[in-house]
mmCIF file of all heavy atoms in Angstrom:
data_model
loop_
_atom_site.group_PDB
_atom_site.id
_atom_site.type_symbol
_atom_site.label_atom_id
_atom_site.label_comp_id
_atom_site.label_asym_id
_atom_site.label_seq_id
_atom_site.Cartn_x
_atom_site.Cartn_y
_atom_site.Cartn_z
ATOM 1 N N PHE P 24 -17.524 5.245 -23.937
ATOM 2 C CA PHE P 24 -18.934 5.438 -23.813
ATOM 3 C C PHE P 24 -19.367 6.668 -24.594
ATOM 4 O O PHE P 24 -19.105 7.765 -24.151
ATOM 5 C CB PHE P 24 -19.299 5.628 -22.328
ATOM 6 C CG PHE P 24 -18.828 4.489 -21.411
ATOM 7 C CD1 PHE P 24 -17.827 4.680 -20.552
ATOM 8 C CD2 PHE P 24 -19.395 3.235 -21.539
ATOM 9 C CE1 PHE P 24 -17.364 3.658 -19.780
ATOM 10 C CE2 PHE P 24 -18.936 2.196 -20.752
ATOM 11 C CZ PHE P 24 -17.932 2.413 -19.859
ATOM 12 N N SER P 54 -12.522 1.461 -12.900
ATOM 13 C CA SER P 54 -13.790 0.705 -12.844
ATOM 14 C C SER P 54 -14.192 0.161 -14.193
ATOM 15 O O SER P 54 -14.758 -0.936 -14.314
ATOM 16 C CB SER P 54 -14.843 1.512 -12.218
ATOM 17 O OG SER P 54 -14.597 1.877 -10.892
ATOM 18 N N ARG P 62 -16.361 -8.908 -17.444
ATOM 19 C CA ARG P 62 -17.266 -9.184 -18.554
ATOM 20 C C ARG P 62 -18.681 -8.670 -18.316
ATOM 21 O O ARG P 62 -19.678 -9.264 -18.693
ATOM 22 C CB ARG P 62 -17.322 -10.682 -18.845
ATOM 23 C CG ARG P 62 -17.675 -10.906 -20.310
ATOM 24 C CD ARG P 62 -17.432 -12.313 -20.775
ATOM 25 N NE ARG P 62 -17.977 -12.537 -22.111
ATOM 26 C CZ ARG P 62 -19.179 -13.042 -22.331
ATOM 27 N NH1 ARG P 62 -19.879 -13.454 -21.310
ATOM 28 N NH2 ARG P 62 -19.643 -13.200 -23.518
ATOM 29 N N TYR P 64 -19.420 -5.859 -19.694
ATOM 30 C CA TYR P 64 -19.562 -5.715 -21.105
ATOM 31 C C TYR P 64 -18.306 -6.104 -21.768
ATOM 32 O O TYR P 64 -17.252 -6.162 -21.166
ATOM 33 C CB TYR P 64 -20.008 -4.275 -21.531
ATOM 34 C CG TYR P 64 -19.637 -3.183 -20.549
ATOM 35 C CD1 TYR P 64 -18.440 -2.552 -20.594
ATOM 36 C CD2 TYR P 64 -20.583 -2.789 -19.593
ATOM 37 C CE1 TYR P 64 -18.122 -1.519 -19.739
ATOM 38 C CE2 TYR P 64 -20.307 -1.759 -18.753
ATOM 39 C CZ TYR P 64 -19.084 -1.185 -18.810
ATOM 40 O OH TYR P 64 -18.827 -0.118 -17.884
ATOM 41 N N ASP P 65 -18.396 -6.417 -23.066
ATOM 42 C CA ASP P 65 -17.267 -7.009 -23.760
ATOM 43 C C ASP P 65 -16.288 -5.901 -24.266
ATOM 44 O O ASP P 65 -16.697 -4.778 -24.610
ATOM 45 C CB ASP P 65 -17.734 -7.754 -24.991
ATOM 46 C CG ASP P 65 -18.100 -9.193 -24.617
ATOM 47 O OD1 ASP P 65 -17.687 -9.609 -23.471
ATOM 48 O OD2 ASP P 65 -18.788 -9.857 -25.344
ATOM 49 N N MET P 83 -16.510 -19.126 -19.441
ATOM 50 C CA MET P 83 -16.670 -19.956 -18.309
ATOM 51 C C MET P 83 -15.428 -20.309 -17.627
ATOM 52 O O MET P 83 -15.213 -20.148 -16.437
ATOM 53 C CB MET P 83 -17.406 -21.227 -18.724
ATOM 54 C CG MET P 83 -18.042 -21.989 -17.539
ATOM 55 S SD MET P 83 -18.829 -23.516 -18.053
ATOM 56 C CE MET P 83 -20.543 -23.130 -17.769
ATOM 57 N N GLN P 87 -14.308 -18.804 -13.924
ATOM 58 C CA GLN P 87 -14.035 -19.799 -12.816
ATOM 59 C C GLN P 87 -12.742 -19.535 -12.073
ATOM 60 O O GLN P 87 -12.577 -19.857 -10.889
ATOM 61 C CB GLN P 87 -14.014 -21.213 -13.364
ATOM 62 C CG GLN P 87 -15.370 -21.864 -13.508
ATOM 63 C CD GLN P 87 -15.228 -23.324 -13.757
ATOM 64 O OE1 GLN P 87 -14.798 -23.738 -14.872
ATOM 65 N NE2 GLN P 87 -15.606 -24.144 -12.840
ATOM 66 N N SER P 95 -18.702 -1.296 -4.953
ATOM 67 C CA SER P 95 -20.037 -1.165 -4.236
ATOM 68 C C SER P 95 -20.316 -2.461 -3.462
ATOM 69 O O SER P 95 -19.781 -3.504 -3.738
ATOM 70 C CB SER P 95 -21.065 -0.930 -5.281
ATOM 71 O OG SER P 95 -21.030 -1.916 -6.313
ATOM 72 N N ARG P 96 -21.181 -2.297 -2.511
ATOM 73 C CA ARG P 96 -21.513 -3.431 -1.677
ATOM 74 C C ARG P 96 -22.414 -4.426 -2.437
ATOM 75 O O ARG P 96 -23.302 -4.008 -3.138
ATOM 76 C CB ARG P 96 -22.262 -2.936 -0.435
ATOM 77 C CG ARG P 96 -21.381 -2.088 0.439
ATOM 78 C CD ARG P 96 -21.934 -2.122 1.799
ATOM 79 N NE ARG P 96 -21.073 -1.445 2.726
ATOM 80 C CZ ARG P 96 -21.306 -1.464 4.013
ATOM 81 N NH1 ARG P 96 -22.337 -2.058 4.494
ATOM 82 N NH2 ARG P 96 -20.482 -0.845 4.785
ATOM 83 N N THR P 97 -22.103 -5.685 -2.247
ATOM 84 C CA THR P 97 -22.832 -6.662 -3.013
ATOM 85 C C THR P 97 -23.518 -7.690 -2.078
ATOM 86 O O THR P 97 -24.119 -8.653 -2.591
ATOM 87 C CB THR P 97 -21.902 -7.423 -3.941
ATOM 88 O OG1 THR P 97 -20.892 -8.048 -3.143
ATOM 89 C CG2 THR P 97 -21.245 -6.496 -4.907
ATOM 90 N N ASP P 99 -26.327 -9.093 0.696
ATOM 91 C CA ASP P 99 -27.705 -8.900 1.094
ATOM 92 C C ASP P 99 -27.798 -8.538 2.571
ATOM 93 O O ASP P 99 -27.434 -9.342 3.429
ATOM 94 C CB ASP P 99 -28.494 -10.198 0.905
ATOM 95 C CG ASP P 99 -29.350 -10.086 -0.301
ATOM 96 O OD1 ASP P 99 -30.009 -9.036 -0.447
ATOM 97 O OD2 ASP P 99 -29.416 -11.040 -1.080
ATOM 98 N N TYR P 110 -25.138 -18.601 -0.966
ATOM 99 C CA TYR P 110 -25.644 -18.195 -2.207
ATOM 100 C C TYR P 110 -24.538 -18.079 -3.253
ATOM 101 O O TYR P 110 -24.644 -18.512 -4.359
ATOM 102 C CB TYR P 110 -26.377 -16.841 -2.038
ATOM 103 C CG TYR P 110 -26.723 -16.134 -3.344
ATOM 104 C CD1 TYR P 110 -27.525 -16.689 -4.271
ATOM 105 C CD2 TYR P 110 -26.139 -14.866 -3.561
ATOM 106 C CE1 TYR P 110 -27.791 -16.006 -5.440
ATOM 107 C CE2 TYR P 110 -26.456 -14.172 -4.727
ATOM 108 C CZ TYR P 110 -27.249 -14.764 -5.663
ATOM 109 O OH TYR P 110 -27.505 -14.093 -6.859
ATOM 110 N N ALA P 113 -23.388 -21.371 -4.435
ATOM 111 C CA ALA P 113 -24.343 -21.890 -5.443
ATOM 112 C C ALA P 113 -24.034 -21.300 -6.801
ATOM 113 O O ALA P 113 -24.137 -21.909 -7.826
ATOM 114 C CB ALA P 113 -25.786 -21.622 -5.036
ATOM 115 N N LEU P 114 -23.699 -19.972 -6.809
ATOM 116 C CA LEU P 114 -23.394 -19.335 -8.073
ATOM 117 C C LEU P 114 -22.199 -20.012 -8.776
ATOM 118 O O LEU P 114 -22.038 -19.775 -9.988
ATOM 119 C CB LEU P 114 -23.129 -17.838 -7.866
ATOM 120 C CG LEU P 114 -24.329 -16.971 -7.595
ATOM 121 C CD1 LEU P 114 -23.920 -15.471 -7.504
ATOM 122 C CD2 LEU P 114 -25.404 -17.120 -8.663
ATOM 123 N N ARG P 118 -22.233 -27.048 -3.663
ATOM 124 C CA ARG P 118 -23.402 -27.270 -2.828
ATOM 125 C C ARG P 118 -23.181 -28.055 -1.596
ATOM 126 O O ARG P 118 -22.082 -28.608 -1.418
ATOM 127 C CB ARG P 118 -24.543 -27.955 -3.703
ATOM 128 C CG ARG P 118 -24.149 -29.408 -3.961
ATOM 129 C CD ARG P 118 -25.130 -30.203 -4.668
ATOM 130 N NE ARG P 118 -24.320 -31.158 -5.540
ATOM 131 C CZ ARG P 118 -24.344 -31.226 -6.808
ATOM 132 N NH1 ARG P 118 -25.065 -30.391 -7.509
ATOM 133 N NH2 ARG P 118 -23.610 -32.115 -7.440
ATOM 134 N N LYS P 124 -18.730 -26.137 4.326
ATOM 135 C CA LYS P 124 -17.373 -26.163 4.814
ATOM 136 C C LYS P 124 -16.548 -24.977 4.273
ATOM 137 O O LYS P 124 -15.846 -24.340 5.013
ATOM 138 C CB LYS P 124 -16.710 -27.486 4.304
ATOM 139 C CG LYS P 124 -15.639 -28.026 5.214
ATOM 140 C CD LYS P 124 -15.277 -29.425 4.877
ATOM 141 C CE LYS P 124 -14.662 -29.501 3.504
ATOM 142 N NZ LYS P 124 -14.498 -30.928 3.007
ATOM 143 N N ARG P 128 -14.698 -21.960 6.363
ATOM 144 C CA ARG P 128 -13.260 -21.682 6.244
ATOM 145 C C ARG P 128 -13.009 -20.290 5.693
ATOM 146 O O ARG P 128 -12.069 -19.649 6.143
ATOM 147 C CB ARG P 128 -12.613 -22.709 5.330
ATOM 148 C CG ARG P 128 -12.685 -24.069 5.953
ATOM 149 C CD ARG P 128 -11.420 -24.904 5.707
ATOM 150 N NE ARG P 128 -11.509 -26.143 6.360
ATOM 151 C CZ ARG P 128 -11.229 -27.334 5.784
ATOM 152 N NH1 ARG P 128 -10.743 -27.319 4.533
ATOM 153 N NH2 ARG P 128 -11.294 -28.400 6.458
ATOM 154 N N ILE P 132 -10.797 -17.391 7.415
ATOM 155 C CA ILE P 132 -9.677 -16.643 6.815
ATOM 156 C C ILE P 132 -9.830 -15.139 7.056
ATOM 157 O O ILE P 132 -8.788 -14.476 7.352
ATOM 158 C CB ILE P 132 -9.643 -16.896 5.286
ATOM 159 C CG1 ILE P 132 -9.211 -18.380 5.086
ATOM 160 C CG2 ILE P 132 -8.677 -16.011 4.579
ATOM 161 C CD1 ILE P 132 -9.113 -18.745 3.636
ATOM 162 N N LYS P 142 -26.864 -11.086 10.834
ATOM 163 C CA LYS P 142 -27.235 -10.428 9.601
ATOM 164 C C LYS P 142 -26.109 -9.484 9.157
ATOM 165 O O LYS P 142 -25.495 -8.878 9.975
ATOM 166 C CB LYS P 142 -28.516 -9.620 9.751
ATOM 167 C CG LYS P 142 -29.708 -10.519 9.852
ATOM 168 C CD LYS P 142 -30.988 -9.693 9.718
ATOM 169 C CE LYS P 142 -32.178 -10.705 9.664
ATOM 170 N NZ LYS P 142 -33.455 -10.054 9.359
ATOM 171 N N ARG P 153 -14.606 -7.452 4.675
ATOM 172 C CA ARG P 153 -13.918 -8.726 4.812
ATOM 173 C C ARG P 153 -14.848 -9.894 4.417
ATOM 174 O O ARG P 153 -14.380 -10.870 3.858
ATOM 175 C CB ARG P 153 -13.494 -8.877 6.286
ATOM 176 C CG ARG P 153 -12.135 -8.222 6.555
ATOM 177 C CD ARG P 153 -12.021 -7.634 7.940
ATOM 178 N NE ARG P 153 -12.113 -8.669 8.985
ATOM 179 C CZ ARG P 153 -12.346 -8.376 10.251
ATOM 180 N NH1 ARG P 153 -12.494 -7.110 10.592
ATOM 181 N NH2 ARG P 153 -12.421 -9.283 11.163
ATOM 182 N N GLN P 163 -12.195 -20.595 -4.795
ATOM 183 C CA GLN P 163 -10.685 -20.713 -4.892
ATOM 184 C C GLN P 163 -10.183 -20.118 -6.229
ATOM 185 O O GLN P 163 -9.545 -20.848 -7.006
ATOM 186 C CB GLN P 163 -10.259 -22.178 -4.781
ATOM 187 C CG GLN P 163 -10.451 -22.724 -3.404
ATOM 188 C CD GLN P 163 -9.739 -24.043 -3.286
ATOM 189 O OE1 GLN P 163 -10.055 -24.964 -4.031
ATOM 190 N NE2 GLN P 163 -8.877 -24.147 -2.382
ATOM 191 N N PRO P 164 -10.392 -18.843 -6.402
ATOM 192 C CA PRO P 164 -9.907 -18.263 -7.649
ATOM 193 C C PRO P 164 -8.393 -18.154 -7.601
ATOM 194 O O PRO P 164 -7.794 -18.102 -6.553
ATOM 195 C CB PRO P 164 -10.525 -16.849 -7.610
ATOM 196 C CG PRO P 164 -10.685 -16.564 -6.194
ATOM 197 C CD PRO P 164 -10.996 -17.853 -5.500
ATOM 198 N N ILE P 187 -5.072 -9.422 5.083
ATOM 199 C CA ILE P 187 -5.733 -10.665 4.642
ATOM 200 C C ILE P 187 -5.345 -10.992 3.190
ATOM 201 O O ILE P 187 -4.858 -12.053 2.884
ATOM 202 C CB ILE P 187 -7.286 -10.494 4.716
ATOM 203 C CG1 ILE P 187 -7.736 -10.491 6.164
ATOM 204 C CG2 ILE P 187 -7.958 -11.633 3.999
ATOM 205 C CD1 ILE P 187 -9.161 -10.079 6.345
ATOM 206 N N LYS P 194 0.705 -17.029 0.899
ATOM 207 C CA LYS P 194 0.504 -18.438 1.277
ATOM 208 C C LYS P 194 -0.079 -19.266 0.116
ATOM 209 O O LYS P 194 0.294 -20.457 -0.057
ATOM 210 C CB LYS P 194 -0.443 -18.540 2.436
ATOM 211 C CG LYS P 194 0.224 -18.169 3.718
ATOM 212 C CD LYS P 194 -0.739 -18.365 4.871
ATOM 213 C CE LYS P 194 -0.109 -17.742 6.110
ATOM 214 N NZ LYS P 194 -1.131 -17.277 7.031
ATOM 215 N N LEU P 197 -1.928 -16.527 -4.779
ATOM 216 C CA LEU P 197 -2.907 -15.829 -5.565
ATOM 217 C C LEU P 197 -2.261 -14.653 -6.312
ATOM 218 O O LEU P 197 -1.349 -14.033 -5.809
ATOM 219 C CB LEU P 197 -3.994 -15.258 -4.662
ATOM 220 C CG LEU P 197 -5.327 -15.870 -4.714
ATOM 221 C CD1 LEU P 197 -5.344 -17.127 -3.943
ATOM 222 C CD2 LEU P 197 -6.338 -14.868 -4.165
ATOM 223 N N LEU V 4 -11.731 -3.528 15.814
ATOM 224 C CA LEU V 4 -11.050 -4.786 15.674
ATOM 225 C C LEU V 4 -10.301 -5.200 16.939
ATOM 226 O O LEU V 4 -9.436 -4.444 17.402
ATOM 227 C CB LEU V 4 -10.044 -4.730 14.534
ATOM 228 C CG LEU V 4 -10.465 -5.208 13.194
ATOM 229 C CD1 LEU V 4 -9.349 -5.026 12.195
ATOM 230 C CD2 LEU V 4 -10.896 -6.654 13.247
ATOM 231 N N VAL V 8 -8.958 -10.935 17.001
ATOM 232 C CA VAL V 8 -9.434 -11.090 15.647
ATOM 233 C C VAL V 8 -8.296 -10.864 14.665
ATOM 234 O O VAL V 8 -8.084 -11.652 13.737
ATOM 235 C CB VAL V 8 -10.627 -10.104 15.321
ATOM 236 C CG1 VAL V 8 -10.896 -10.089 13.877
ATOM 237 C CG2 VAL V 8 -11.835 -10.520 16.172
ATOM 238 N N VAL V 12 -6.616 -13.481 11.799
ATOM 239 C CA VAL V 12 -6.742 -13.249 10.351
ATOM 240 C C VAL V 12 -5.633 -13.891 9.585
ATOM 241 O O VAL V 12 -4.461 -13.759 9.873
ATOM 242 C CB VAL V 12 -6.717 -11.710 10.130
ATOM 243 C CG1 VAL V 12 -6.370 -11.406 8.694
ATOM 244 C CG2 VAL V 12 -8.075 -11.124 10.486
ATOM 245 N N GLY V 13 -6.041 -14.640 8.554
ATOM 246 C CA GLY V 13 -5.033 -15.202 7.631
ATOM 247 C C GLY V 13 -4.346 -16.439 8.094
ATOM 248 O O GLY V 13 -3.742 -17.151 7.349
ATOM 249 N N THR V 15 -4.972 -19.618 8.760
ATOM 250 C CA THR V 15 -5.890 -20.732 8.721
ATOM 251 C C THR V 15 -5.601 -21.756 7.638
ATOM 252 O O THR V 15 -4.711 -21.515 6.833
ATOM 253 C CB THR V 15 -7.310 -20.203 8.436
ATOM 254 O OG1 THR V 15 -7.284 -19.247 7.449
ATOM 255 C CG2 THR V 15 -7.966 -19.648 9.689
ATOM 256 N N PRO V 17 -6.439 -24.109 4.281
ATOM 257 C CA PRO V 17 -7.050 -23.739 2.951
ATOM 258 C C PRO V 17 -8.576 -23.954 2.944
ATOM 259 O O PRO V 17 -9.109 -24.604 3.814
ATOM 260 C CB PRO V 17 -6.324 -24.675 2.051
ATOM 261 C CG PRO V 17 -5.838 -25.801 2.853
ATOM 262 C CD PRO V 17 -5.546 -25.216 4.182
ATOM 263 N N SER V 19 -10.550 -25.642 0.857
ATOM 264 C CA SER V 19 -11.069 -26.978 0.625
ATOM 265 C C SER V 19 -9.917 -27.919 0.428
ATOM 266 O O SER V 19 -8.737 -27.519 0.467
ATOM 267 C CB SER V 19 -11.953 -26.974 -0.592
ATOM 268 O OG SER V 19 -11.163 -26.912 -1.775
ATOM 269 N N GLU V 20 -10.248 -29.188 0.291
ATOM 270 C CA GLU V 20 -9.149 -30.183 0.070
ATOM 271 C C GLU V 20 -8.405 -29.909 -1.261
ATOM 272 O O GLU V 20 -7.261 -30.236 -1.431
ATOM 273 C CB GLU V 20 -9.764 -31.578 -0.002
ATOM 274 C CG GLU V 20 -9.677 -32.274 1.357
ATOM 275 C CD GLU V 20 -10.898 -31.877 2.223
ATOM 276 O OE1 GLU V 20 -12.028 -32.279 1.905
ATOM 277 O OE2 GLU V 20 -10.704 -31.171 3.245
ATOM 278 N N GLN V 21 -9.199 -29.377 -2.162
ATOM 279 C CA GLN V 21 -8.646 -29.064 -3.468
ATOM 280 C C GLN V 21 -7.521 -28.034 -3.345
ATOM 281 O O GLN V 21 -7.663 -27.006 -2.651
ATOM 282 C CB GLN V 21 -9.777 -28.526 -4.339
ATOM 283 C CG GLN V 21 -9.405 -28.340 -5.803
ATOM 284 C CD GLN V 21 -10.492 -27.434 -6.448
ATOM 285 O OE1 GLN V 21 -11.629 -27.399 -6.067
ATOM 286 N NE2 GLN V 21 -10.045 -26.665 -7.407
ATOM 287 N N TRP V 23 -5.056 -24.968 -3.939
ATOM 288 C CA TRP V 23 -5.267 -23.636 -4.484
ATOM 289 C C TRP V 23 -4.427 -23.504 -5.774
ATOM 290 O O TRP V 23 -3.316 -23.900 -5.856
ATOM 291 C CB TRP V 23 -4.883 -22.569 -3.477
ATOM 292 C CG TRP V 23 -5.732 -21.339 -3.719
ATOM 293 C CD1 TRP V 23 -5.828 -20.624 -4.781
ATOM 294 C CD2 TRP V 23 -6.596 -20.780 -2.713
ATOM 295 N NE1 TRP V 23 -6.710 -19.556 -4.597
ATOM 296 C CE2 TRP V 23 -7.217 -19.663 -3.351
ATOM 297 C CE3 TRP V 23 -6.928 -21.073 -1.385
ATOM 298 C CZ2 TRP V 23 -8.145 -18.848 -2.697
ATOM 299 C CZ3 TRP V 23 -7.843 -20.231 -0.725
ATOM 300 C CH2 TRP V 23 -8.406 -19.126 -1.391
ATOM 301 N N PRO V 28 -13.058 -27.173 -11.212
ATOM 302 C CA PRO V 28 -13.811 -28.375 -11.600
ATOM 303 C C PRO V 28 -14.670 -28.108 -12.836
ATOM 304 O O PRO V 28 -15.013 -26.953 -13.087
ATOM 305 C CB PRO V 28 -14.657 -28.613 -10.383
ATOM 306 C CG PRO V 28 -14.842 -27.316 -9.727
ATOM 307 C CD PRO V 28 -13.548 -26.558 -10.010
ATOM 308 N N GLY V 33 -25.312 -31.133 -12.555
ATOM 309 C CA GLY V 33 -25.548 -30.962 -11.109
ATOM 310 C C GLY V 33 -25.186 -29.573 -10.692
ATOM 311 O O GLY V 33 -25.902 -28.960 -9.854
ATOM 312 N N THR V 37 -27.573 -26.734 -8.858
ATOM 313 C CA THR V 37 -27.148 -26.061 -7.660
ATOM 314 C C THR V 37 -27.309 -24.557 -7.815
ATOM 315 O O THR V 37 -27.875 -23.898 -6.957
ATOM 316 C CB THR V 37 -25.670 -26.377 -7.304
ATOM 317 O OG1 THR V 37 -25.513 -27.813 -7.236
ATOM 318 C CG2 THR V 37 -25.284 -25.709 -6.001
ATOM 319 N N CYS V 38 -26.788 -24.058 -8.914
ATOM 320 C CA CYS V 38 -26.828 -22.613 -9.182
ATOM 321 C C CYS V 38 -28.274 -22.134 -9.268
ATOM 322 O O CYS V 38 -28.652 -21.130 -8.648
ATOM 323 C CB CYS V 38 -26.057 -22.340 -10.453
ATOM 324 S SG CYS V 38 -26.057 -20.581 -10.906
ATOM 325 N N ARG V 45 -32.535 -17.758 -2.925
ATOM 326 C CA ARG V 45 -32.149 -16.374 -2.429
ATOM 327 C C ARG V 45 -33.328 -15.409 -2.616
ATOM 328 O O ARG V 45 -33.638 -14.635 -1.727
ATOM 329 C CB ARG V 45 -30.946 -15.854 -3.204
ATOM 330 C CG ARG V 45 -30.684 -14.370 -2.874
ATOM 331 C CD ARG V 45 -29.540 -13.862 -3.750
ATOM 332 N NE ARG V 45 -29.282 -12.453 -3.512
ATOM 333 C CZ ARG V 45 -29.622 -11.460 -4.276
ATOM 334 N NH1 ARG V 45 -30.358 -11.713 -5.341
ATOM 335 N NH2 ARG V 45 -29.346 -10.250 -3.970
ATOM 336 N N ARG V 49 -35.031 -13.623 0.496
ATOM 337 C CA ARG V 49 -35.047 -12.170 0.563
ATOM 338 C C ARG V 49 -36.471 -11.637 0.738
ATOM 339 O O ARG V 49 -36.696 -10.716 1.545
ATOM 340 C CB ARG V 49 -34.516 -11.630 -0.772
ATOM 341 C CG ARG V 49 -33.140 -10.939 -0.639
ATOM 342 C CD ARG V 49 -32.607 -10.778 -2.006
ATOM 343 N NE ARG V 49 -33.374 -9.827 -2.784
ATOM 344 C CZ ARG V 49 -32.931 -8.644 -3.133
ATOM 345 N NH1 ARG V 49 -31.766 -8.241 -2.718
ATOM 346 N NH2 ARG V 49 -33.655 -7.870 -3.898
ATOM 347 N N THR V 123 -26.108 -1.446 -6.548
ATOM 348 C CA THR V 123 -25.298 -1.830 -5.415
ATOM 349 C C THR V 123 -24.269 -2.858 -5.801
ATOM 350 O O THR V 123 -23.288 -3.068 -5.095
ATOM 351 C CB THR V 123 -26.168 -2.459 -4.342
ATOM 352 O OG1 THR V 123 -26.828 -3.622 -4.929
ATOM 353 C CG2 THR V 123 -27.160 -1.515 -3.743
ATOM 354 N N SER V 132 -20.703 -14.970 -12.180
ATOM 355 C CA SER V 132 -20.823 -16.411 -12.021
ATOM 356 C C SER V 132 -20.403 -16.999 -13.392
ATOM 357 O O SER V 132 -20.684 -16.506 -14.418
ATOM 358 C CB SER V 132 -22.240 -16.802 -11.651
ATOM 359 O OG SER V 132 -22.442 -18.112 -12.006
ATOM 360 N N PHE V 134 -21.496 -19.431 -15.010
ATOM 361 C CA PHE V 134 -22.568 -20.019 -15.887
ATOM 362 C C PHE V 134 -22.981 -19.027 -16.932
ATOM 363 O O PHE V 134 -22.850 -17.830 -16.813
ATOM 364 C CB PHE V 134 -23.758 -20.414 -14.994
ATOM 365 C CG PHE V 134 -23.403 -21.520 -14.015
ATOM 366 C CD1 PHE V 134 -23.089 -21.254 -12.718
ATOM 367 C CD2 PHE V 134 -23.376 -22.827 -14.492
ATOM 368 C CE1 PHE V 134 -22.731 -22.257 -11.790
ATOM 369 C CE2 PHE V 134 -23.072 -23.822 -13.539
ATOM 370 C CZ PHE V 134 -22.738 -23.562 -12.280
ATOM 371 N N ARG V 136 -24.916 -16.469 -19.167
ATOM 372 C CA ARG V 136 -25.689 -15.388 -18.681
ATOM 373 C C ARG V 136 -27.167 -15.585 -18.824
ATOM 374 O O ARG V 136 -28.005 -15.232 -17.966
ATOM 375 C CB ARG V 136 -25.244 -14.057 -19.404
ATOM 376 C CG ARG V 136 -25.640 -12.831 -18.660
ATOM 377 C CD ARG V 136 -24.752 -11.694 -19.057
ATOM 378 N NE ARG V 136 -23.471 -11.748 -18.460
ATOM 379 C CZ ARG V 136 -22.636 -10.669 -18.455
ATOM 380 N NH1 ARG V 136 -23.017 -9.542 -19.045
ATOM 381 N NH2 ARG V 136 -21.436 -10.744 -17.928
ATOM 382 N N PRO V 344 -23.242 -9.063 -23.023
ATOM 383 C CA PRO V 344 -22.133 -8.104 -22.775
ATOM 384 C C PRO V 344 -21.666 -7.352 -24.086
ATOM 385 O O PRO V 344 -21.248 -6.270 -23.981
ATOM 386 C CB PRO V 344 -21.012 -8.931 -22.172
ATOM 387 C CG PRO V 344 -21.390 -10.343 -22.407
ATOM 388 C CD PRO V 344 -22.886 -10.391 -22.562
ATOM 389 N N SER V 345 -21.776 -8.041 -25.278
ATOM 390 C CA SER V 345 -21.207 -7.311 -26.398
ATOM 391 C C SER V 345 -22.254 -6.547 -27.189
ATOM 392 O O SER V 345 -21.975 -5.516 -27.737
ATOM 393 C CB SER V 345 -20.489 -8.307 -27.290
ATOM 394 O OG SER V 345 -21.294 -9.377 -27.610
ATOM 395 N N GLY V 353 -23.023 2.549 -20.740
ATOM 396 C CA GLY V 353 -21.936 2.833 -19.794
ATOM 397 C C GLY V 353 -22.038 1.978 -18.560
ATOM 398 O O GLY V 353 -21.140 1.905 -17.777
ATOM 399 N N SER V 357 -19.895 2.309 -13.528
ATOM 400 C CA SER V 357 -18.702 2.160 -14.396
ATOM 401 C C SER V 357 -17.648 3.232 -13.975
ATOM 402 O O SER V 357 -16.475 3.074 -14.187
ATOM 403 C CB SER V 357 -19.080 2.379 -15.844
ATOM 404 O OG SER V 357 -19.575 3.669 -16.031
ATOM 405 N N ALA V 359 -17.023 5.854 -15.175
ATOM 406 C CA ALA V 359 -16.353 6.490 -16.301
ATOM 407 C C ALA V 359 -16.751 7.981 -16.421
ATOM 408 O O ALA V 359 -17.716 8.378 -15.879
ATOM 409 C CB ALA V 359 -16.749 5.789 -17.592
#
Side-chain angles (χ1 to χ4, degrees):
Chain P
F24 303 111
S54 294
R62 208 164 170 264
Y64 23 88
D65 274 344
M83 195 182 249
Q87 274 191 290
S95 51
R96 294 203 174 186
T97 59
D99 255 317
Y110 166 61
L114 285 184
R118 72 177 147 240
K124 209 166 68 191
R128 295 218 177 135
I132 289 178
K142 286 193 176 186
R153 275 147 61 197
Q163 289 192 303
I187 290 167
K194 285 183 191 150
L197 250 78
Chain V
L4 263 178
V8 170
V12 160
T15 42
S19 75
E20 266 84 67
Q21 190 196 326
W23 210 301
T37 304
C38 179
R45 171 184 179 258
R49 250 165 67 109
T123 59
S132 158
F134 294 98
R136 200 159 282 195
S345 53
S357 64

